[in-house]
Amino acid sequence: MAEEKTIFELIIEGKIPCDKVFESDEFLAFKDINPKAPIHILIVPKEHFKDFSKIPPELMAKMTSFIHELCAFLDIKEFKLLTNCGKKAGQEVFHLHFHLLSGF
Ligand code: AMP
């Protein structure tokens, strides 16, 4: 039986709205609904990976470029970038995402 889709997959499919910040063919960046910093953006690949341990390194390299472009677009030079990998590490949504926190 297929696993239930995560909220981020539904956002990527356009079935649930989000506050979109930046997008490419392969990645999407949108504002966190419960921000923990003045700027709190989530970055996701459009392809589904449950966490950081599953993304192929070649795609991770492209994601890195996307995050660099996002920071340039927002003119953010100082920030925290983190991903929670696994329930015990605090992951709540099981579709890979990076938190970009800034504006402190
Ligand atoms: P994590 O604990 O790393 O899985 O983080 C999940 C993050 O997703 C939390 O910071 C939530 O505030 C955020 N979140 C949950 N639902 C939504 C949503 N519909 N739109 C934007 N952010 C969300």
Side-chain angles (χ1 to χ4, degrees):
M1 201 173 75
E3 276 184 44
E4 207 172 295
K5 285 190 178 167
T6 63
I7 191 140
F8 292 172
E9 289 167 273
L10 297 175
I11 286 174
I12 291 159
E13 289 173 8
K15 291 180 178 149
I16 289 182
C18 72
D19 198 345
K20 192 196 301 182
V21 177
F22 203 60
E23 186 174 20
S24 72
D25 288 348
E26 291 177 297
F27 307 102
L28 176 66
F30 53 95
K31 290 187 185 169
D32 195 293
I33 208 166
N34 181 20
K36 280 88 178 175
I39 297 170
H40 186 171
I41 293 167
L42 300 173
I43 302 128
V44 296
K46 291 185 178 176
E47 189 177 345
H48 178 67
F49 303 100
K50 78 176 172 71
D51 62 39
F52 179 71
S53 69
K54 301 292 180 202
I55 188 169
E58 311 77 50
L59 189 60
M60 190 60 228
K62 290 187 184 177
M63 196 163 181
T64 301
S65 296
F66 179 81
I67 295 169
H68 287 174
E69 286 168 28
L70 170 67
C71 288
F73 175 72
L74 296 173
D75 197 23
I76 290 176
K77 295 185 180 73
E78 296 179 276
F79 55 86
K80 292 181 201 281
L81 183 67
L82 69 92
T83 188
N84 296 319
C85 184
K87 203 172 181 176
K88 288 181 184 167
Q91 186 176 2
E92 290 177 355
V93 179
F94 289 86
H95 178 96
L96 170 63
H97 54 282
F98 282 83
H99 298 256
L100 178 74
L101 301 139
S102 189
F104 312 103

